[in-house]
C-alpha cells in the first residue's frame, strides 16, 4: 500500500467483521495495526500490544502489518498464547503475506485473522467460568 493510501470503507468493514467473527469464535481480543513498524518491528509491535492495557493485552492478539517493508508481527498475551502457539501464528503470518504479495493488504489482514481464529477456536467448558 503506498504511503498515504487508506483502506476503503468496504475494506475497513471487512476487517472489522473479521475481527468480530474471530473474537466470537475464540474468546480472544484481536487488534490490527497497519503502518510503519520502524527499525525494530518486533519491539514496536510489543509496545502497541502493551498499549492495549493489561486486561485486554492478556487475552489479546495484535496483528501488525508493515506493507512497505513487507513485515508481519503477531503478538499474543499470556492467555491468548494458550490457544495460539508459534506454529499457528506462523501460518497466519503466511496467510497475510501471501495475500499482501498480490497487492491486497486488507485481504491479507482478513485472511490472517481468520487463520488465527480457526486455530484459537476451542470448545466451551460447561460448569466453569474458564473457557
Amino acid at each position: 500500500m503506498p504511503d498515504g493510501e487508506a483502506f476503503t470503507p468496504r475494506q475497513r468493514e471487512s476487517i472489522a467483521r473479521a475481527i468480530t467473527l474471530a473474537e466470537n469464535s475464540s474468546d480472544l481480543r484481536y487488534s490490527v495495526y497497519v503502518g510503519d513498524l520502524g527499525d525494530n518491528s518486533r519491539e514496536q509491535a510489543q509496545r502497541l500490544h502493551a498499549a492495549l492495557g493489561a486486561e485486554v493485552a492478556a487475552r489479546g492478539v495484535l496483528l501488525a502489518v508493515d506493507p512497505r517493508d513487507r513485515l508481519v508481527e503477531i503478538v499474543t498475551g499470556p492467555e491468548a498464547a494458550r490457544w495460539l502457539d508459534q506454529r499457528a501464528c506462523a501460518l497466519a503470518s503466511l496467510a497475510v503475506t501471501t495475500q499482501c504479495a498480490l497487492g491486497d493488504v486488507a485481504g491479507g489482514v482478513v485472511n490472517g485473522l481468520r487463520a488465527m481464529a480457526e486455530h484459537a477456536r476451542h470448545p466451551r467448558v460447561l460448569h466453569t467460568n474458564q473457557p
Side-chain angles (χ1 to χ4, degrees), residues 42 45 61-64 72-76 84 88-90 92-93 96 116:
R42 186 69 185 167
V61 179
L62 172 70
L63 172 59
V72 175
E73 295 286 351
I74 298 173
V75 181
T76 59
L84 283 174
C89 290
S93 180
V96 175
M116 287 188 287

Side-chain angles (χ1 to χ4, degrees), residues 11-59:
Q11 289 170 323
R12 285 192 301 273
E13 181 181 307
S14 180
I15 291 169
R17 187 173 39 252
I19 289 171
T20 300
L21 292 172
E23 289 180 345
N24 289 342
S25 71
S26 67
D27 283 335
L28 300 178
R29 300 297 157 244
Y30 292 85
S31 298
V32 173
Y33 172 86
V34 177
D36 183 23
L37 289 172
D39 293 334
N40 192 328
S41 60
R42 186 69 185 167
E43 283 184 13
Q44 177 64 6
Q46 289 171 330
R47 280 193 292 275
L48 291 167
H49 183 262
L52 298 172
E55 189 175 320
V56 173
R59 293 190 66 76

